[in-house]
Amino acid sequence: MLKDNFEAVEKRVADACKRAGRERSEVTLIAVSKTKPVEMLREVYDAGARDFGENKVQEICEKYDQLPSDIKWHMIGHLQRNKVKQVIDKAVMIHSVDSYRLAQEISVQAQKKGLTIPILIEVNIAGEESKFGISAEDTIQLVEEIATLPNLSIRGLMTIAPYVENAEENRLYFRQIKQLSVDIKNKNIDNVTMDILSMGMTGDYEVAIEEGATMVRVGTGIFGARNYNTKER
């Protein structure tokens, strides 16, 4: 079943790329595996997935050694500063940087390990009170401040669009994030590339791809509904 799910999502990603006149290779499909057991991740890995996204540091740490070493782990959930050192050498990218203090801690821990960590700035594009992320208005200033920190590389932006029944309702937000990334890119800030847009989830990833997403984060579409009965970590 999971293999079928993954292949169905893959096809929809490819179709969305085609509609947008883009190459399939321009979009990374991240299988969001939060709360899912290792056995399910193995099944999706066997179907071809190599990029997995987790919301919690503890889940990355627990799964990291149990699964193949060619998996690329993406930290997509809110990251507390005291957890940075646990994930710094395991995640290929941290998608959820929304404050200077968090970026500073990532920089400190990266220096200790001799690493340069790719990060994305999380933007709360719809201004939802329930969501993390910096406001669109404050994003450029935050990017300029974080860009001066050593051992970090700002690769782009991430957003979690509102939950909607009709994906078309989020098209505007995806366009706004894309435009924001273009505005930042045009400033030619050192250490900032803006070549990654992490946006789009199970309900709206096709629209996100049509509007320029380079990474989409799909959980339910691949793994099925999340199991909220698992012990909260």
Side-chain angles (χ1 to χ4, degrees):
M1 183 191 83
L2 295 184
K3 182 176 187 288
D4 293 343
N5 288 354
F6 180 74
E7 287 174 354
V9 172
E10 261 292 338
K11 184 179 187 312
R12 289 172 69 180
V13 168
D15 289 347
C17 287
K18 201 171 182 179
R19 285 195 301 277
R22 302 176 65 191
E23 297 292 327
R24 170 64 189 89
S25 58
E26 291 178 42
V27 179
T28 300
L29 171 57
I30 299 172
V32 178
S33 44
K34 56 189 179 186
T35 78
K36 299 301 180 185
V38 166
E39 298 73 43
M40 289 180 80
L41 273 72
R42 278 206 191 95
E43 216 176 308
V44 176
Y45 174 91
D46 290 342
R50 291 298 178 271
D51 290 84
F52 287 82
E54 289 287 347
N55 267 41
K56 294 182 182 293
V57 168
Q58 188 169 336
E59 284 207 63
I60 290 182
C61 293
E62 285 174 1
K63 294 169 181 176
Y64 187 85
D65 290 326
Q66 297 183 63
L67 288 157
S69 59
D70 63 337
I71 284 180
K72 295 171 186 163
W73 295 99
H74 297 257
M75 180 64 204
I76 61 174
H78 179 64
L79 180 57
Q80 295 168 297
R81 295 198 308 281
N82 64 347
K83 299 277 181 72
V84 168
K85 60 178 176 287
Q86 294 170 244
V87 80
I88 198 78
D89 56 352
K90 293 178 176 65
V92 296
M93 182 172 289
I94 297 172
H95 290 232
S96 46
V97 177
D98 62 356
S99 72
Y100 181 80
R101 291 177 72 195
L102 173 57
Q104 200 172 29
E105 182 62 23
I106 295 168
S107 172
V108 166
Q109 297 302 331
Q111 286 177 79
K112 288 180 183 176
K113 296 275 188 181
L115 300 169
T116 297
I117 305 298
I119 65 168
L120 303 179
I121 305 302
E122 181 174 0
V123 183
N124 185 347
I125 195 64
E128 292 180 280
E129 286 185 17
S130 60
K131 297 228 174 96
F132 291 104
I134 184 100
S135 70
E137 299 75 40
D138 294 332
T139 301
I140 292 177
Q141 184 183 343
L142 182 64
V143 167
E144 288 173 337
E145 290 169 357
I146 292 175
T148 63
L149 293 168
N151 296 71
L152 292 184
S153 170
I154 302 176
R155 298 290 304 280
L157 305 177
M158 181 270 247
T159 198
I160 301 171
Y163 175 78
V164 290
E165 293 292 336
N166 178 4
E168 284 296 327
E169 292 175 35
N170 280 337
R171 192 178 290 275
L172 173 68
Y173 295 122
F174 296 143
R175 281 187 182 158
Q176 288 174 351
I177 280 281
K178 173 66 176 175
Q179 186 57 52
L180 183 57
S181 77
V182 170
D183 293 345
I184 294 169
K185 190 169 193 165
N186 288 341
K187 286 186 167 288
N188 293 315
I189 306 164
D190 285 347
N191 198 26
V192 177
T193 53
M194 287 293 129
D195 56 345
I196 293 175
L197 274 183
S198 172
M199 62 186 191
M201 295 160 70
T202 293
D204 55 19
Y205 65 89
E206 291 161 281
V207 171
I209 290 168
E210 290 168 7
E211 295 301 333
T214 65
M215 289 184 170
V216 292
R217 310 179 305 270
V218 180
T220 306
I222 295 171
F223 290 98
R226 211 180 316 166
N227 180 5
Y228 286 100
N229 295 325
T230 54
K231 191 175 79 174
E232 183 63 35
R233 292 184 169 91

